């Protein structure tokens, strides 16, 4: 059985850390070549083996997570971050199930996405290929370790993982199982590597690209992390900003549907990036719609922060300030504002949205289609909770995160989004005149 890696010293010498990080890059590059050329069945067997090994090591993973939680609690970690960090048997079973789903989805490598013959007679095909070596920097959520590794392998990419220091024990325990699954499938464990030190200087080395070894860098965390990566990275970055997500309730909305969607969007799980953070209500229907929604939210334990017009209908709400509109609370807090119909909602979203997820509740088909066409986000939903902003719910098996970028991939990033492509051109002795 593959041994779980031990935590490296927090303060290795600069030369030792640099050497270790460069070694990760070299090993990942070598592993990527073999992984990308492996048959799809081998990658499937490896991911299935990861799931099996993780199940066998469940007790070890939960013990490591308990130690992480104890240390985080002692440091006064916020409740939302503690929730993201926590694993129990049910959540770990969900991680294992996600790996099994990723093993079952079609392998994207080698798939032709288009084929045509132009006037010159050449046979041209566009074919999906692995990107190469991914580096993923993320915070708090140990399930990302498993999801990211499995999706990277599914797409034929080697990956270097750098999780948050607060969940290092959990991540190392999970990684031990992933490496075991790879080895049993005949693949190098170097296909999935993890940074074993808490030293933040390791992030700096990753941002520099490990001497050209990294092809794509994916940050998944708070604004400060993403902004640092985007500012300092010397390699391509696929961004994942916070989820400042809105639900707009139109005057045409059914009151019961609006109540149920809004409460779920905010309160199902407040610590996920798909949670709603602002409720926008059409002034024309606010008197009919808002009081019932507000009562249900308060009954669920949600604090409301409302603008003056909304407070006239929910007077016990706290007065909202300018700081509330761009805030990702990740807590049982919801900003509430009355707007002038769909145009007012779209204007607010354009000003304060993060490009993550936006939702509308309405029965007017024209309003629904206008919102879906004009709301600028990776995911837009009609009459559905923002909590569906999840690659697993999209049938991807899991996700690396929700991309808020406009290029390469946008929205949930699954295996298909972790591929590039090349053009395969077949001729018959063609020589261009």
């Amino acid at each position: 059985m593959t041994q779980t890696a031990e935590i490296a010293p927090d303060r290795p010498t600069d030369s030792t850390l640099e050497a270790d990080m460069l070694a990760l890059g070299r090993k990942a590059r070598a592993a990527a070549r073999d992984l990308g050329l492996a048959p799809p069945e081998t990658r499937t067997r490896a991911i299935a083996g990861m799931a099996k090994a993780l199940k066998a090591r469940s007790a070890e993973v939960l013990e490591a997570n308990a130690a992480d939680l104890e240390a985080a609690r002692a440091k006064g970690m916020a409740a939302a971050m503690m929730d993201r960090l926590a694993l129990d048997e049910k959540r770990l079973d969900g991680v294992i199930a996600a790996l099994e789903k990723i093993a079952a989805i079609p392998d994207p490598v080698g798939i032709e996405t288009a084929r045509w013959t132009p006037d010159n007679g050449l046979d041209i095909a566009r074919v999906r290929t692995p990107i190469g070596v991914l580096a993923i920097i993320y915070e708090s959520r140990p399930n990302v370790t498993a999801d990211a590794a499995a999706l990277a392998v599914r797409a034929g990419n080697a990956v270097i993982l750098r999780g948050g220091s607060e969940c290092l024990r959990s991540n190392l325990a999970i990684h031990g199982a992933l490496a075991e699954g790879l080895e049993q499938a005949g693949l190098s464990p170097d296909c999935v590597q993890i940074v074993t030190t808490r030293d933040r200087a390791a992030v700096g080395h990753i941002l520099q690209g490990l001497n050209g070894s990294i092809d794509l860098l994916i940050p998944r965390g708070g604004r400060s992390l993403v902004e640092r990566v985007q500012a300092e990275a010397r390699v391509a970055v696929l961004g994942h900003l916070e989820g400042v997500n809105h639900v707009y309730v139109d005057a045409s909305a059914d009151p019961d549907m609006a109540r149920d969607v809004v409460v779920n969007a905010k309160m199902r799980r407040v610590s996920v990036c798909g949670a709603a953070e602002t409720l926008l209500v059409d002034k024309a229907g606010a008197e009919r719609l808002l009081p019932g929604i507000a009562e249900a939210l308060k009954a669920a334990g949600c604090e409301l922060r409302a603008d003056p017009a909304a407070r006239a209908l929910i007077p016990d709400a706290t007065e909202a300030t300018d700081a509330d509109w761009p805030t990702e609370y990740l807590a049982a807090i919801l900003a509430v504002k009355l707007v002038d119909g769909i145009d007012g909602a779209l204007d607010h979203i354009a000003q304060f949205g993060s490009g993550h997820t936006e939702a509308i509740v309405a029965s007017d088909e024209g309003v629904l289609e206008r919102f879906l066409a004009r709301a600028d986000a990776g995911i837009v939903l009609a009459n559905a909770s923002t909590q569906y902003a999840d690659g697993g719910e999209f049938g991807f098996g899991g996700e690396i995160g929700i991309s808020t970028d406009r290029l390469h991939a946008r929205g949930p990033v699954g295996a298909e989004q972790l591929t590039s492509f090349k053009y395969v051109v077949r001729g018959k002795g063609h020589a261009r005149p």
Side-chain angles (χ1 to χ4, degrees):
M1 182 176 74
T2 303
Q3 296 297 311
T4 299
E6 295 183 355
I7 297 174
D10 287 354
R11 294 292 176 186
T13 65
D14 290 342
S15 59
T16 299
L17 179 60
E18 180 180 19
D20 289 347
M21 296 302 296
L22 290 175
L24 287 183
R26 288 192 298 271
K27 290 188 289 185
R29 176 60 66 193
R33 288 191 288 268
D34 293 337
L35 178 62
L37 295 173
E41 296 79 11
T42 300
R43 291 191 288 271
T44 297
R45 190 164 63 251
I47 301 166
M50 291 177 183
K52 184 178 180 181
L54 187 55
K55 188 173 185 64
R57 292 186 176 212
S58 292
E60 176 187 338
V61 171
L62 293 176
E63 181 180 352
N65 186 249
D68 282 336
L69 286 170
E70 182 179 353
R73 194 175 296 110
K75 291 181 178 179
M77 178 180 281
M81 297 299 287
M82 289 284 288
D83 181 63
R84 288 186 168 200
L85 171 59
L87 289 175
D88 55 23
E89 288 187 11
K90 182 177 180 181
R91 286 189 180 181
L92 189 54
D93 285 345
V95 174
I96 295 166
L99 295 186
E100 293 170 343
K101 289 178 181 177
I102 294 168
I105 64 175
D107 192 282
V109 179
I111 298 297
E112 281 189 4
T113 61
R115 192 166 189 167
W116 67 97
T117 301
D119 292 342
N120 58 27
L122 291 170
D123 178 359
I124 303 176
R126 187 169 62 239
V127 180
R128 290 197 178 278
T129 62
I131 291 172
V133 176
L134 312 178
I136 303 175
I137 304 173
Y138 53 103
E139 298 171 344
S140 297
R141 300 178 66 171
N143 65 291
V144 175
T145 302
D147 288 351
L151 288 167
V153 171
R154 177 80 288 170
N157 301 300
V159 63
I160 297 170
L161 303 169
R162 204 289 182 176
S165 60
E166 68 281 353
C167 58
L168 184 54
R169 297 177 186 87
S170 304
N171 289 340
L172 291 178
I174 292 170
H175 175 261
L178 305 180
E180 184 178 332
L182 287 164
E183 286 186 304
Q184 289 178 351
L187 292 172
S188 169
D190 293 340
C191 293
V192 176
Q193 296 181 82
I194 192 164
V195 178
T196 60
T197 177
R198 293 187 175 93
D199 196 318
R200 292 186 177 184
V203 173
H205 289 290
I206 292 173
L207 296 181
Q208 296 303 309
L210 302 184
N211 200 23
S213 293
I214 296 171
D215 296 299
L216 180 65
L217 177 56
I218 305 175
R220 178 170 177 172
R223 176 175 287 272
S224 60
L225 169 64
V226 176
E227 288 182 344
R228 180 192 174 190
V229 169
Q230 291 176 330
E232 299 180 20
R234 297 294 179 265
V235 295
V237 176
L238 184 63
H240 173 111
L241 283 175
E242 72 269 84
V244 182
N245 309 319
H246 303 77
V247 179
Y248 166 61
V249 177
D250 186 65
S252 67
D254 173 78
D256 292 339
M257 179 190 292
R259 179 197 63 222
D260 293 346
V261 169
V262 172
V263 172
N264 184 268
K266 175 71 254 186
M267 298 301 292
R268 172 190 165 270
R269 192 171 174 193
V270 300
S271 65
V272 297
C273 63
E277 304 293 12
T278 299
L279 169 63
L280 304 173
V281 182
D282 189 348
K283 289 179 179 177
E287 189 172 351
R288 180 176 69 93
L289 296 163
L290 181 54
I293 296 171
E295 285 303 314
L297 285 164
K298 288 184 286 186
C302 184
E303 175 190 339
L304 302 179
R305 299 181 182 178
D307 74 339
R311 288 187 73 209
L313 297 173
I314 44 173
D316 56 346
T318 302
E319 184 175 351
T321 69
D322 290 344
D324 286 303
W325 310 122
T327 296
E328 183 186 37
Y329 299 111
L330 299 176
I333 304 170
L334 184 67
V336 184
K337 184 178 184 179
L338 300 194
V339 293
D340 290 319
I342 186 172
D343 288 330
L346 290 170
D347 286 346
H348 182 95
I349 290 168
Q351 183 176 0
F352 296 107
S354 59
H356 191 292
T357 299
E358 308 294 352
I360 180 175
V361 183
S363 59
D364 185 318
E365 288 295 328
V367 170
L368 287 172
E369 293 306 316
R370 181 178 173 85
F371 184 91
L372 295 176
R374 298 198 176 192
D376 186 12
I379 304 170
V380 291
L381 304 107
N383 296 328
S385 168
T386 59
Q387 298 265 341
Y388 282 103
D390 182 284
E393 294 295 330
F394 277 51
F396 296 174
E399 67 177 27
I400 297 277
I402 308 291
S403 170
T404 52
D405 279 357
R406 296 177 182 274
L407 299 179
H408 175 66
R410 197 178 192 197
V413 177
E416 182 179 307
Q417 291 73 33
L418 293 176
T419 59
S420 182
F421 58 85
K422 64 182 177 183
Y423 291 98
V424 178
V425 183
R426 296 176 175 87
K428 299 178 180 178
H430 279 65
R432 185 173 177 178

